[in-house]
Amino acid sequence: MAIPPETARSGWRDVGGILLHAFWILLLLSLVSYHASDIYIMQSPPNQPALNLIGPVGAWLAFGVLMGLGVVGYLAPLAIGVYACFLHLKKQGWVWPKLVWLILLFMALLCLVELRPEFWQPAVRRLNIVGPGGVLGVLLGPRGLFKLMGTAGTAILAGAVLLASLVLLFEVQLLLVFRLA
């Protein structure tokens, strides 16, 4: 059976995968060496030179990820690395649905960390961020779904989306998993 030309594997997937591997490594180093004092809107004057291992670019990159995603941002390098592996390993078919499932997985995690903000307070204070889910988590959780569904409804929905995303992302057949258990 021939592979349709629009889904056939090309060298562009491998190039994209290589670039994403480089990016997730840079992002990981940026996040683990993040100092809020490297950013001039957090401290004036900022550290000179920047303490971030990737320099000022890494400091701003980590700042953007942590402000947007909060503590969940520390999982961003892992997600990018996983997607890069999908680009390399998926022999045929579309890869973009995997990206959709990764995004939904992150949205579910943002809601879940916003359910228990007190647990994350030490990290929130240390990182000097809006909340455990960052700006997106606050908009999605307390200012969005919590008002529409309450915390219990949001927890159920986020848990279901998290599980469904993992199943579809890694193409797990739940019946086989339960048979093996």
Side-chain angles (χ1 to χ4, degrees):
M1 182 168 163
I3 299 170
E6 69 272 3
T7 59
R9 201 172 149 76
S10 73
W12 288 108
R13 274 194 189 178
D14 288 325
V15 168
I18 290 167
L19 292 175
L20 283 177
H21 280 299
F23 181 70
W24 79 257
I25 293 168
L26 288 171
L27 180 58
L28 178 66
L29 292 174
S30 297
L31 287 168
V32 298
S33 64
Y34 173 71
H35 296 275
S37 55
D38 286 343
I39 307 297
Y40 72 83
I41 60 175
M42 304 298 265
Q43 174 179 306
S44 183
N47 293 332
Q48 288 296 335
L51 300 176
N52 195 291
L53 292 172
I54 310 300
V57 170
W60 280 99
L61 180 62
F63 173 76
V65 168
L66 291 172
M67 279 298 175
L69 300 174
V71 295
V72 178
Y74 282 108
L75 295 175
L78 176 65
I80 295 168
V82 166
Y83 190 70
C85 288
F86 284 135
L87 287 174
H88 291 303
L89 300 175
K90 192 154 171 60
K91 300 286 186 217
Q92 60 186 358
W94 299 103
V95 184
W96 66 264
K98 302 287 186 187
L99 184 59
V100 172
W101 296 120
L102 274 171
I103 291 169
L104 286 172
L105 180 105
F106 265 78
M107 291 173 73
L109 287 172
L110 292 173
C111 285
L112 291 172
V113 298
E114 286 291 338
L115 287 170
R116 293 283 174 221
E118 65 279 358
F119 178 80
W120 302 100
Q121 276 311 310
V124 168
R125 275 193 301 277
R126 185 180 60 78
L127 296 170
N128 198 14
I129 57 178
V130 175
V135 173
L136 291 174
V138 168
L139 292 174
L140 194 60
R143 294 199 180 163
L145 292 175
F146 290 10
K147 288 182 178 180
L148 296 173
M149 304 177 70
T151 55
T154 301
I156 292 168
L157 178 63
V161 169
L162 178 72
L163 183 61
S165 296
L166 287 170
V167 166
L168 291 168
L169 184 64
F170 295 108
E171 299 175 9
V172 176
Q173 294 179 358
L174 288 179
L175 289 176
L176 292 178
V177 171
F178 288 125
R179 282 186 193 161
L180 294 174

